[in-house]
Amino acid sequence: MPIPDSPLAAEFIASPNFGERRGVGGPSALILHYTGMPTAEGALARLLDPASEVSAHYFVFEDGRIVQLVAERDRAWHAGKSRWKGESDLNSASIGIEIVNPGHDGGAPPFPDRQIAATIALARDILSRWTILPERVLAHSDVAPHRKRDPGEAFPWARLHEGGVGHWVEPAPVSGGPLFRHEEEGPPVRALQAMLALYGYGLELSGVYDRHTRAVVTAFQRHFRRERVDGEADASTAATLKALIEGLAGSRDR
Ligand SMILES: [Zn+2]
């Protein structure tokens, strides 16, 4: 058995589902997932099954135990069809962590404290070995907003930030209704789309508040404005996004 890259991993259980990173020297992003299956054992078995063609670098159990499945230098198959900052091969550009949780279909239970503490420690350890900017610690739903909801709005991103992991600003208070009607068209819609794209989300600047834009706004809310996840661009969503963008320059100076 290979030796884990992280001293925090209890063991390395090699998944056959990996390849070589393409066109990059090493990972520049960290993508977090929930397993979205009823049991940890079932989820782990799937990531080890060659027929599934999916994997992740790490797997974090509810009790905080960590297992490594794919070497960090290799390309695990966790992001699928994805986009961020113009990149479309996020598997080559990232390290993926699967966090055991049954997810939305399993009632979206909270993530246990021990599991979150282990995830923070593991992420910090990974960030100490690779150059990964805070704003490139992402949800699977951030890079695949049309297909994925994980790790979901139950995931405590603010606690990760308190632990030194990821980019976060306190969300602006929720008040008032949607800024745009469905299919509304115009420069203000395009301006919102441009801000989302500037932060990293993959969307076209169509100028129309269409279903693609709603999917991206929903992903943004799951990560950064969990209080109301409805795909509607309201004042709080726009203000929180603006504050995050303004924080990018500062985060690069750290
Ligand atoms: Zn995922």
Side-chain angles (χ1 to χ4, degrees):
M1 275 294 167
I3 297 165
D5 291 306
S6 173
L8 300 172
E11 58 184 321
F12 197 130
I13 305 175
S15 169
N17 304 329
F18 71 92
E20 284 183 22
R21 294 185 186 274
R22 301 168 188 155
V24 296
S28 61
L30 179 61
I31 297 179
L32 306 187
H33 305 257
Y34 66 45
T35 51
M37 289 175 65
T39 68
E41 292 69 28
L44 183 57
R46 180 161 182 266
L47 297 169
L48 298 171
D49 178 2
S52 76
E53 299 189 335
V54 293
S55 63
H57 294 89
Y58 292 98
F59 188 88
V60 183
F61 287 88
E62 285 166 305
D63 67 0
R65 192 162 68 92
I66 298 167
V67 172
Q68 186 166 4
L69 310 176
V70 174
E72 291 181 1
R73 69 175 176 279
D74 288 326
R75 180 179 181 275
W77 302 343
H78 57 96
K81 188 171 159 44
S82 51
R83 234 172 111 193
W84 190 258
K85 283 266 175 192
E87 284 177 84
S88 58
D89 182 4
L90 270 298
N91 280 336
S92 282
S94 68
I95 285 176
I97 302 177
E98 284 281 357
I99 302 161
V100 173
N101 185 282
H104 291 87
D105 291 341
F111 293 78
D113 286 346
R114 282 200 296 179
Q115 186 182 35
I116 292 303
T119 301
I120 291 170
L122 174 61
R124 289 180 65 106
D125 176 56
I126 292 166
L127 298 174
S128 75
R129 269 178 277 113
W130 301 99
T131 304
I132 298 174
L133 295 170
E135 61 268 27
R136 290 179 63 87
V137 179
L138 298 167
H140 195 190
S141 51
D142 289 323
V143 302
H146 294 287
R147 300 187 301 115
K148 294 293 175 180
R149 296 185 284 178
D150 62 311
E153 55 274 29
F155 190 74
W157 290 101
R159 278 184 55 201
L160 263 72
H161 183 252
E162 284 165 23
V165 177
H167 187 203
W168 179 259
V169 297
E170 198 56 40
V174 177
S175 69
L179 299 173
F180 308 119
R181 297 182 311 276
H182 190 52
E183 300 292 329
E184 181 168 336
E185 188 168 0
V189 176
R190 186 184 297 271
L192 177 81
Q193 290 171 332
M195 284 170 64
L196 288 163
L198 179 63
Y199 195 69
Y201 289 91
L203 82 169
E204 310 312 320
L205 309 187
S206 65
V208 181
Y209 204 79
D210 52 15
R211 65 186 180 86
H212 302 289
T213 309
R214 293 178 70 90
V216 170
V217 168
T218 301
F220 175 82
Q221 291 169 338
R222 284 192 207 290
H223 187 156
F224 296 108
R225 212 290 304 273
R226 304 153 60 201
E227 189 179 333
R228 191 197 284 169
V229 177
D230 60 3
E232 301 288 359
D234 50 32
S236 155
T237 300
T240 305
L241 173 58
K242 185 164 177 282
L244 282 163
I245 290 169
E246 287 168 356
L248 288 174
S251 67
R252 292 224 163 77
D253 292 334
R254 281 214 296 262

